Amino acid sequence: MSTLTRTEHAVARSLAETADPRDALARALQAIGEGLGWRFGAVWEPALDRPDALRCVETWSAVGAAAHEFEAISRSIALAVGEGLPGRVWDSGEPAWIPDVLAEENFPRAPEAHRAGLHAAFCFPVRGARGVLGVIEFFTGEPRRLDPELLETMSMLGDQVGQAVEHRRVAEALRA
């Protein structure tokens, strides 16, 4: 079984094991990050106080990843449509890949990524019935060339994650 297939199964399992939307996102981040051997992942959603911008709502770091400063800046900023990797994917609705964020012009967190030793990144939309709900991004510690198969698989996983989270949020609203 390939790494991508194992990762898909781990995400499906993680989504099936929780009814809480936030926990579902956290478990999906961990399953993808650990399954693929990447170092840092984050979920971005439209900000409650500013729906025209994305805010980081969940993160995951590999054991031993020194990404505290990168996580802090990610959680503290709001990214507008088209800004940074999350903003670009939110705007286009399509997955994207950056071989090395340190060489990317449109990457506002580059200084913190450099200090954390983060280089390659990919990001994919999380889609529900009403469209793009947010985006998920991942980083690794070395530059990497585009992996079209990985992006395609993550795009499909983004649909699964989005539908699962959307269903859980509806159920939560009905219970409230």
Side-chain angles (χ1 to χ4, degrees):
M1 184 182 303
S2 77
T3 301
L4 284 177
T5 302
R6 280 193 301 278
T7 301
E8 285 180 275
H9 288 228
V11 170
R13 202 170 32 258
S14 72
L15 293 174
E17 291 174 349
T18 181
D20 177 75
R22 198 57 69 220
D23 193 34
L25 289 169
R27 288 176 182 229
L29 277 178
Q30 181 178 359
I32 295 168
E34 288 178 354
L36 298 177
W38 288 59
R39 291 183 45 198
F40 182 85
V43 177
W44 296 77
E45 294 180 346
L48 296 175
D49 61 334
R50 193 176 147 201
D52 64 330
L54 291 174
R55 290 220 184 262
C56 177
V57 298
E58 191 66 52
T59 63
W60 167 86
S61 292
V63 174
H68 304 294
E69 187 180 353
F70 188 75
E71 178 181 356
I73 189 69
S74 296
R75 287 186 178 271
S76 71
I77 64 171
L79 298 174
V81 173
E83 185 179 16
L85 182 57
R88 285 187 5 226
V89 170
W90 187 34
D91 185 34
S92 72
E94 297 296 325
W97 184 283
I98 299 176
D100 190 349
V101 297
L102 303 182
E104 179 72 19
E105 279 186 32
N106 183 9
F107 196 78
R109 298 169 290 154
E112 293 81 11
H114 175 69
R115 286 191 288 280
L118 301 175
H119 290 275
F122 69 88
C123 187
F124 57 95
V126 176
R127 292 186 198 89
R130 294 171 289 155
V132 178
L133 305 174
V135 302
I136 296 177
E137 68 177 350
F138 278 93
F139 297 84
T140 193
E142 66 277 339
R144 290 193 187 174
R145 289 188 307 191
L146 171 65
D147 183 337
E149 183 183 4
L150 174 65
L151 276 188
E152 183 179 328
T153 301
M154 291 302 111
S155 187
M156 289 186 292
L157 279 179
D159 294 346
Q160 290 176 3
V161 170
Q163 291 168 12
V165 167
E166 197 169 54
H167 289 318
R168 285 163 178 77
R169 287 182 180 159
V170 167
E172 238 179 29
L174 289 174
R175 279 192 301 274

